[in-house]
Amino acid sequence: HSRASPSAVMEVVPVPSLSDNYAYLLADRASGTCAAVDPVEPAKVLRAAEESGLRVVMVLTTHSHWDHSGGNAEIASKLGDGVPIVAGRNDGVETCTKPVGHGDVLELGRISISVLDTPCHTAGHVCYLAKLNAEDQVAEPGVVFTGDTLFVGGSGNLNSGTPEQMAHALHSVLGGLPDETRVFCGHNYTAKNLRWALQIEPENRAAQEKLQQAEELDSRKEFIHSTIGQEKSFNPFMRAALSSIQEWAGTPGDASAALLKVRQGKDAWGRSLQL
């Protein structure tokens, strides 16, 4: 597994799952404990924990779709009753034993995990922002697990949600985090997302460079990192708040309408590739 180590204390281990999903271990190295994020294939996740010398003490579920929550029952049976299964309180995750909402904070060793409500893709979708506790802050960036709300270069389907909800989630909730916050999303759709971004902004140098990096890393089956600041530089869903994207969309002054145009355009473009 390629590792992302914001510090010696806090570490993120990506666990590729299914065809294009990512589960993760969020580890507190000092205590040797970790949280499993969306462990859809429990055997893989538990093996990764064992290889890393970690004990899973918490399960963090971003949302109810089976490819994120579908491993919860099995991992719960293996870990026992003492391990909370955390999920958004409005999301109908059947296996949830600890429902959470915006502003709730969970502790994992010296790591604080804040819950961010990002309803849209599902009614109770949440993201998890992890930071070292204040006394351990060595100017380390936080990390955010964004499920199917924010992808590298893209965003999840609106489903029963509204463009206003997704715009709020991306531009205010996630977009309000420090630019250096590292992004760990639910799927690797990165190369396709960036090809669409370049349909909208063909001259966007950041998108060109990230696409090249994504293609290289995909060929080596390596994990693709991003940050909130990077997403603001190339992700058209994040950039729907900008006048340049609103101009492309024909929706001056309306970020939600621009985001919907980006979504509809990407869906139509994706269908055209399959013809």
Side-chain angles (χ1 to χ4, degrees):
H1 301 285
S2 58
R3 282 179 170 69
S5 300
S7 73
V9 178
M10 183 166 68
E11 180 179 31
V12 178
V13 181
V15 184
S17 303
L18 304 177
S19 59
D20 53 36
N21 278 65
Y22 276 115
Y24 298 97
L25 298 174
L26 168 66
D28 173 61
R29 274 285 165 206
S31 63
T33 58
C34 68
V37 182
D38 288 349
V40 62
E41 292 190 272
K44 280 188 183 175
V45 170
L46 293 172
R47 190 181 319 122
E50 192 179 345
E51 287 169 0
S52 302
L54 297 165
R55 187 165 51 90
V56 178
V57 296
M58 181 188 305
V59 173
L60 301 176
T61 310
T62 60
H63 65 294
S64 57
H65 289 163
W66 77 268
D67 59 324
H68 296 264
S69 68
N72 284 1
E74 183 186 330
I75 204 167
S77 71
K78 289 185 168 154
L79 295 173
D81 292 343
V83 174
I85 309 291
V86 181
R89 70 166 50 98
N90 301 315
D91 216 39
V93 175
E94 291 173 11
T95 45
C96 173
T97 61
K98 187 172 179 61
V100 292
H102 198 79
D104 287 346
V105 178
L106 307 158
E107 301 295 339
L108 174 74
R110 288 191 278 174
I111 299 169
S112 287
I113 303 164
S114 302
V115 179
L116 308 175
D117 279 352
T118 53
C120 180
H121 183 73
T122 62
H125 191 299
V126 292
C127 299
Y128 297 98
L129 174 67
K131 290 179 181 169
L132 282 174
N133 289 332
E135 64 270 19
D136 294 308
Q137 284 285 8
V138 214
E140 291 290 356
V143 304
V144 64
F145 299 94
T146 58
D148 287 3
T149 293
L150 172 65
F151 299 131
V152 179
S155 175
N157 290 318
L158 305 182
N159 297 326
S160 60
T162 66
E164 288 76 16
Q165 283 180 313
M166 191 61 90
H168 178 72
L170 294 178
H171 305 156
S172 300
V173 180
L174 295 173
L177 299 176
D179 279 354
E180 64 272 18
T181 307
R182 301 181 76 168
V183 172
F184 296 93
C185 61
H187 292 268
N188 178 8
Y189 299 147
T190 307
K192 187 176 179 186
N193 287 341
L194 291 164
R195 288 186 197 110
W196 169 242
L198 287 165
Q199 297 284 317
I200 298 176
E201 296 185 288
E203 306 299 313
N204 186 318
R205 189 68 185 273
Q208 293 168 357
E209 289 173 0
K210 197 68 174 179
L211 176 58
Q212 186 179 352
Q213 181 196 21
E215 288 173 339
E216 287 170 9
L217 291 173
D218 279 348
S219 71
R220 301 201 298 267
K221 295 199 163 20
E222 288 184 30
F223 183 75
I224 296 159
H225 297 290
S226 184
T227 65
I228 293 294
Q230 283 184 38
E231 293 304 316
K232 288 177 178 175
S233 74
F234 55 62
N235 186 326
F237 293 90
M238 286 285 255
R239 292 167 66 77
L242 301 180
S243 58
S244 55
I245 300 291
Q246 292 169 14
E247 198 174 306
W248 169 89
T251 61
D254 191 334
S256 300
L259 185 146
L260 181 60
K261 289 278 192 188
V262 173
R263 174 80 266 157
Q264 291 170 333
K266 183 173 191 294
D267 293 344
W269 172 78
R271 284 194 296 273
S272 74
L273 297 182
Q274 294 164 350
L275 296 177

